Structures are given as structure tokens and as C-alpha cells.
Amino acid sequence: MKESIVALICPFDENNKINYDELDRLCDYQIENKTDGILLLGTTQESESLTKEEKHELVDFVYHKVYKKMKIIIGIISNITEEVVSISKQYDEYDIDSFLVITPYYNKTNVSGLIKHFTYIADHVSKPIVLYNVPKRTGMSIPIDVVRILSYHHNIIGIKDASGDALYTQEIAKFINNKFKLYCGDDKSMIISLFLGASGSISVIANAFPLEVKLIHESFDKNINISKTTFNKLNSLIDAIFKETSPIGIKYLLYIIGFNTKKYRRPLDEPSLEVKRLIEEKTLEIIE
């Protein structure tokens, strides 16, 4: 079964604190629409703008809200190998599916260093890990041969590919097996990735349209025309929400469909007037 996993956003209140009432509504929205999984502390959740205490509180809140209702993945974002392991320890008590682990950023490494980085983490954390390839954020892509080598590690269960590079995805798709899965991390590449054998998507647009993203995945093996038609319905809106750095666009989209998600943590800010109007226009095309 293809999995629809949402990369959840983080709502803030007027005092720049996490808005747990709204977070509760957002979780209910995903539960009601039968989303298969939820990613916490990813880029979409502005996790690097959250304190250590806020991260733990947020995970604890959402975990007790959605546990046994959907798969739970926790992102651990650090460019220090040992710190990734250290951060993971505070989540040992939770019965989660996996940790999402990003490539080192700023202090970018070489091939041997990258293999040692992920191998050390996989050897020392208590849960399986999913590699996260997002070169637009980190400045480096996981080389294809590195993905191949790491795919054999017993505690590395997949890769989230947000490269948006179909040729790269095609190559790493060769390493898919019963233990090592491919997840699409770029909404524009959703259908292409599914064609190449992806097990699902970790999606931003699913925050606002979880039912449609679920339908894309659920229909893919049953009726590909439904899957493609549903994706095409969202395609222009996906373009619109990524006109500015994510999650700026998706939070504004959620706001205009009725959620209290207009607040951002610095350095992020509201989208430009032009982008707001584009998101509104493309949303109306879908819901009218």
C-alpha cells in the first residue's frame, strides 16, 4: 500500500508560542482524513526555530494525540553526528516508526565521511532511520553509490528524496526492496516517484488537502487515472505554495481554508501580496 504521510506544520499564537489548540485541530483534520503517517520536527514544522523544550513538548502532544492512529516519524536535524544520536535519546520512550536524518549541512562532508556519519547514527539510535536527501537545504546530495551502500544497513529503512531530480530518483529507486523504501519528499515529483516504485510521499500539500493526497496514493495501484487526475487538480496550487520558502506558502493556504496558521517564527514571514493572491486564486479553482 502506498502511504500518504504529512509533514506537519507548527501553528503559533499571538505571543509567538506554539498554539496547541490549533495543533489539536490540525491533528484531528489528518485523523479524520485517514492520513497514513505524520512527520514531526521536519523543515515544514519550522523545527529549527523551536527550542529543545518546545520540540519535546510538541512531540509529546502530537504523539499522545495520534498514536496508533497513524505512523509517526520524528526528524532530527543536526550537522553533528554525535548530537543526532544524543537528541534521539529523548524520544526513546515513544513507540515511533523511525527517525528522519538529514545530510550534514554547512560542514558538508565527502563520500567516506557521509557513509560514516549515517552508519554511526544507525548503529547508535534505538529506532530505524530514514535518510533525508534535500540538497536545496543542505547544499549537498547523497551520492547514488552512498545510497546503495547504506541501503544494506539493517537499521536504515529508506530514503526521503526531496531532490526534485527525476533522474536521481530513478537511479536510487533501483535499491528499493522489502526493507529499504523510497519516499517522495517533493510534492511536484509525487506521481513520478510513485511510478518509479516509491512507497509513498512525505507531503507538504497534505497539510491542507489530506483527502486528495490520500486518494492519489490509495488509487495509484487500483485506478491510475484517478490518481493522476487528483494530482493534476493540485498541481498548480503546489507550484503556488512553493513560490516562497516552505512552509510560508502552506501556512498561508491553511489560513485561508480556516486554520489559525498565519503566524511565523522569525526569520520566516508572511508571503508577499503577489504570492498570497496566487495561492488564493489556485485554491478557489480547487474548492469552487
Side-chain angles (χ1 to χ4, degrees):
M1 183 186 75
K2 308 290 187 183
E3 296 177 303
S4 173
I5 301 170
V6 61
L8 195 68
I9 66 101
C10 183
F12 298 105
D13 63 22
E14 298 295 329
N15 298 313
N16 203 29
K17 303 294 184 184
I18 296 175
N19 186 338
Y20 282 102
D21 288 339
E22 205 61 19
L23 186 59
D24 190 65
R25 284 187 67 210
L26 289 163
C27 289
D28 279 337
Y29 188 49
Q30 297 298 325
I31 293 168
E32 289 162 7
N33 285 284
K34 297 180 169 51
T35 295
D36 298 305
I38 193 164
L39 169 65
L40 304 177
L41 304 186
T43 307
T44 311
Q45 204 156 56
E46 297 173 75
S47 60
E48 289 308 277
S49 298
L50 302 177
T51 66
K52 178 182 177 181
E53 292 74 23
E54 285 176 321
K55 289 179 181 180
H56 193 274
E57 288 172 3
L58 185 151
V59 168
D60 189 71
F61 180 89
V62 177
Y63 177 83
H64 287 100
K65 179 75 179 181
V66 308
Y67 179 56
K68 293 192 174 177
K69 297 181 176 72
M70 62 182 69
K71 172 183 289 189
I72 301 171
I73 304 170
I74 297 176
I76 303 178
I77 300 177
S78 176
N79 57 347
I80 304 171
T81 307
E82 290 79 8
E83 187 173 73
V84 173
V85 175
S86 177
I87 293 170
S88 77
K89 300 304 180 187
Q90 63 184 299
Y91 304 114
D92 281 349
E93 63 185 284
Y94 299 107
D95 181 20
I96 64 167
D97 181 77
S98 57
F99 292 121
L100 183 71
V101 180
I102 201 166
T103 53
Y105 49 90
Y106 191 69
N107 58 339
K108 298 184 297 180
T109 183
N110 57 6
V111 167
S112 59
L114 198 56
I115 293 170
K116 289 178 180 179
H117 172 77
F118 283 119
T119 300
Y120 181 90
I121 293 167
D123 285 343
H124 290 86
V125 297
S126 62
K127 305 291 192 299
I129 71 169
V130 174
L131 311 174
Y132 186 12
N133 187 54
V134 56
K136 292 176 184 177
R137 297 275 184 180
T138 64
M140 69 176 302
S141 182
I142 306 176
I144 292 166
D145 280 345
V146 172
V147 178
R148 177 183 58 80
I149 292 166
L150 294 173
S151 71
Y152 293 109
H153 194 289
H154 71 280
N155 203 37
I156 299 177
I157 62 170
I159 181 169
K160 174 188 175 184
D161 177 33
S163 68
D165 182 343
L167 294 178
Y168 176 88
T169 308
Q170 182 178 335
E171 289 301 310
I172 63 171
K174 296 175 182 176
F175 313 132
I176 296 171
N177 55 48
N178 290 334
K179 186 198 78 68
F180 188 79
K181 297 179 179 180
L182 168 65
Y183 292 100
C184 176
D186 172 66
D187 282 348
K188 284 290 290 183
S189 307
M190 194 180 293
I191 287 290
I192 293 172
S193 296
L194 293 176
F195 268 115
L196 291 172
S199 293
S201 300
I202 301 177
S203 168
V204 174
I205 195 70
N207 277 278
F209 290 95
L211 184 62
E212 286 79 1
V213 176
K214 172 77 173 179
L215 183 60
I216 290 167
H217 291 77
E218 201 170 52
S219 302
F220 189 82
D221 293 326
K222 301 174 184 177
N223 188 328
I224 188 64
N225 288 329
I226 293 175
S227 187
K228 289 192 294 185
T229 300
T230 307
F231 175 77
N232 289 336
K233 176 181 171 184
L234 296 177
N235 199 10
S236 293
L237 182 56
I238 290 170
D239 284 335
I241 66 169
F242 287 105
K243 286 290 183 185
E244 295 194 16
T245 302
S246 186
I248 290 173
I250 187 61
K251 291 186 79 172
Y252 186 72
L253 170 55
L254 284 164
Y255 168 72
I256 64 176
I257 66 171
F259 290 95
N260 185 11
T261 56
K262 203 176 180 182
K263 297 297 180 183
Y264 301 83
R265 277 270 174 96
R266 286 187 293 271
L268 300 189
D269 195 12
E270 291 186 31
S272 67
L273 186 60
E274 179 185 0
V275 171
K276 285 181 179 180
R277 295 297 171 260
L278 182 62
I279 293 171
E280 291 165 8
E281 174 190 327
K282 298 304 178 183
T283 302
L284 285 172
E285 289 177 3
I286 294 173
I287 64 178
E288 278 189 335

